[in-house]
Amino acid sequence: MLGNSIRLFRVAGIDVGVHVSWLVIFALVTWSLAVGVFPSIAGLKGLPEWEYWVLGAITALLLFASVIVHELAHSLVAKSRGLGVRSITLFIFGGVSNLAGEAKKPSTEFIIAIVGPLTSFAIAAVAYVADAALPASAAVPDAVLSYLVYINLALGAFNLIPGFPLDGGRVFRALAWTWTGSLRRGTEIAAFVGHLVAWGLLLLGFYLILVRGDLFQGIWLGAIGWFLQNAASSSLQQVLIEQRLRGARVADVVEPDTTVVAPDLPLVTLIEDSFMRGNRRAVPVVSDGRLVGMVTVGDVKEVPRDRWPTMTVGEVMGGRDGVVSVGPRDSLQRALEALAKGDFEQVPVVEDGKLVGVVTRADIVRQIQLREALDLEGVLPRPAASPAR
Ligand SMILES: [Zn+2]
C-alpha cells in the first residue's frame, strides 16, 4: 500500500485502501455537488440545504465505489493471469492497483489495461439503463444516476489517454511492445508519448489560466499533466531496472549464511546473539529442520522492551501463514517481485529444502548499481574459444 494510506477492507484477497489525498477529493466532490450541481437541477430546486449535502455525500461514495470496481477489474484479471496483486489504493486522480511484477506478454498487459476503462463504460451503461427505467417524477435518483453515467464515462475516457502509465498508455505500450518485439523499446515509446501528453496537458493548463482566466480547470489539467510527467518517468525507470537484472540470479548475490533461530527462543537472546552480534536485521526461523518464518528487527520493535525476555520468536515472526522463499537459481527479478509482493526487506533462499542464506533489497540494489556501472545487460559474454570446463 502507498504511504499515507488508510486500509478500508479486503476483497478477494486484495487490500483496498484510500490515500489521504482522496479524502480531500471526497470532500471537494461532495461540496461541489451539494452547493453547485444539485441545487441547479430543475427537479431538485427548493430542497432543504442538508438534503443537498446528504445527496452529495452519497453520490461521492458511489463515485468512490465506481473507482473501486474499475480497479478490481484490473486486479482480478491480473490475478487470473497469474500476476500477484497486493492492494488497491484510491488516491487523488482515481485508483492504483498495486501489482507485484509486470505482464510477461503484450497480450496479458493489453487485457489487464483495457478491462478498466471497459468496466467504467459498463457501469455508465448500467446506470443509464437504470435511469431510463425510472418514472419521470423520480428527480433525486435521476440526478444521482445521471451523474454516475457522466462520471464513469469521464473515468473511462480519461484512463484511455495514451499516456503511460494510464490504462490507455499501457494499451499503447502493449501495442508498441508487439510491434517492436521488445518490452524495453515499447516502454520507451509509450513513456515518450506519455511525456508528450503530459506536456500537452501542462501547456493547456497554463493556457487556460493565463489566457482564458479559467483558474479551476487550468490548475486541474496542470496537476494531471504534472502527475503524468512523473509517472511516465518512474514507470520507465522500473522497466529499465528489470532489464538491468536480466540474467542475474539469486546465487550471484546471496552471501552463504545459515544462521537460524528456533521459534521458542526468547526475543532478548535473538537480539543479543543474532541481531547485535551478527549485525543482521533478519533471521530465518527453523523448527524440526523446516523453515517456518522470518523474524526481523521490525517484528521485535513492535514489542514493548520489558516483554523481550518473556516473549518468543514464534510469537512475533512473520510468515506464519506460509513462508515466501526463492531458490539460488531463480532470477533476481523473481526475488525482487517476492520482496514487493509481501512488502519484505529480505527473502530466504532455500535449495532442496535447505536454507542457503537470505537475499535483501540492499543486495539487489547493489547488483543493479554494479550492472549499471559495467553497462551490463543480460548474461556475461564468454570467451569464444574457451575450453570446456
Ligand atoms: Zn484503470
Side-chain angles (χ1 to χ4, degrees):
M1 202 147 276
L2 295 174
N4 290 328
S5 298
I6 305 155
R7 194 183 141 178
L8 293 181
F9 53 84
R10 206 174 154 83
V11 54
I14 302 162
D15 283 328
V16 178
V18 288
H19 188 256
V20 283
S21 64
W22 208 87
L23 300 174
V24 177
I25 292 299
F26 179 77
L28 270 178
V29 171
T30 305
W31 171 76
S32 73
L33 287 169
V35 174
V37 178
F38 289 147
S40 66
I41 293 174
L44 296 184
K45 285 215 159 70
L47 292 181
E49 199 175 324
W50 67 267
E51 285 192 24
Y52 292 125
W53 282 97
V54 172
L55 209 51
I58 291 172
T59 311
L61 279 178
L62 287 170
L63 160 63
F64 164 91
S66 300
V67 177
I68 291 185
V69 174
H70 171 118
E71 291 306 320
L72 268 180
H74 287 305
S75 296
L76 293 177
V77 172
K79 273 193 133 179
S80 77
R81 300 278 158 150
L83 284 173
V85 179
R86 289 157 72 192
S87 60
I88 291 173
T89 308
L90 300 185
F91 80 133
I92 196 156
F93 293 116
V96 219
S97 292
N98 217 337
L99 303 184
E102 296 256 352
K104 303 278 184 285
K105 286 189 303 186
S107 56
T108 310
E109 160 124 88
F110 182 86
I111 190 152
I112 292 174
I114 197 82
V115 75
L118 290 182
T119 303
S120 292
F121 292 142
I123 299 172
V126 169
Y128 182 82
V129 169
D131 194 17
L134 284 174
S137 56
V140 170
D142 172 58
V144 174
L145 286 171
S146 303
Y147 178 78
L148 278 183
V149 172
Y150 157 77
I151 202 73
N152 277 291
L153 284 179
L155 261 177
F158 170 70
N159 274 292
L160 278 181
I161 294 175
F164 191 75
L166 288 179
D167 297 337
R170 290 185 174 277
V171 167
F172 183 74
R173 175 169 85 155
L175 296 175
W177 181 1
T178 309
W179 296 327
T180 60
S182 147
L183 173 59
R184 186 194 180 116
R185 282 299 296 149
T187 309
E188 281 170 350
I189 294 169
F192 177 71
V193 173
H195 281 300
L196 284 185
V197 171
W199 277 109
L201 289 172
L202 274 169
L203 286 178
L204 191 60
F206 279 122
Y207 169 77
L208 287 175
I209 294 168
L210 298 176
V211 182
R212 301 284 290 274
D214 190 342
L215 197 65
F216 183 74
Q217 295 274 1
I219 289 178
W220 195 232
L221 278 183
I224 293 173
W226 179 77
F227 161 76
L228 282 183
Q229 179 70 24
N230 283 320
S233 302
S234 64
S235 309
L236 181 60
Q237 200 60 34
Q238 194 186 331
V239 174
L240 295 182
I241 285 177
E242 281 192 32
Q243 294 282 316
R244 273 292 171 224
L245 282 180
R246 259 183 39 210
R249 310 256 146 228
V250 169
D252 298 343
V253 302
V254 68
E255 305 263 351
D257 178 6
T258 47
T259 306
V260 296
V261 291
D264 57 0
L265 194 75
L267 291 185
V268 68
T269 319
L270 165 81
I271 296 166
E272 197 178 3
D273 291 354
S274 302
F275 288 169
M276 311 293 276
R277 210 167 289 155
N279 203 15
R280 291 181 195 85
R281 297 182 67 88
V283 185
V285 186
V286 168
S287 173
D288 295 328
R290 214 166 50 82
L291 183 68
V292 291
M294 283 288 285
V295 64
T296 67
V297 171
D299 298 330
V300 172
K301 209 176 64 187
E302 310 276 301
V303 180
R305 205 173 296 186
D306 57 328
R307 298 185 61 194
W308 285 356
T310 50
M311 275 188 86
T312 64
V313 164
E315 290 172 281
V316 302
M317 69 183 188
R320 273 160 293 183
D321 35 273
V323 196
V324 180
S325 66
V326 291
R329 273 183 292 274
D330 280 336
S331 66
L332 263 195
Q333 181 59 33
R334 227 201 117 213
L336 198 60
E337 282 166 20
L339 290 172
K341 200 167 176 175
D343 224 352
F344 300 131
E345 281 302 313
Q346 59 281 309
V347 57
V349 182
V350 176
E351 185 174 36
D352 303 328
K354 282 206 191 66
L355 185 79
V356 180
V358 169
V359 61
T360 67
R361 242 176 234 274
D363 293 331
I364 300 179
V365 168
R366 268 199 298 274
Q367 177 79 144
I368 292 168
Q369 288 166 343
L370 190 61
R371 287 173 162 256
E372 247 157 31
L374 290 168
D375 197 21
L376 176 67
E377 230 168 59
V379 289
L380 278 173
R382 298 279 171 210
S386 74
R389 270 186 286 177

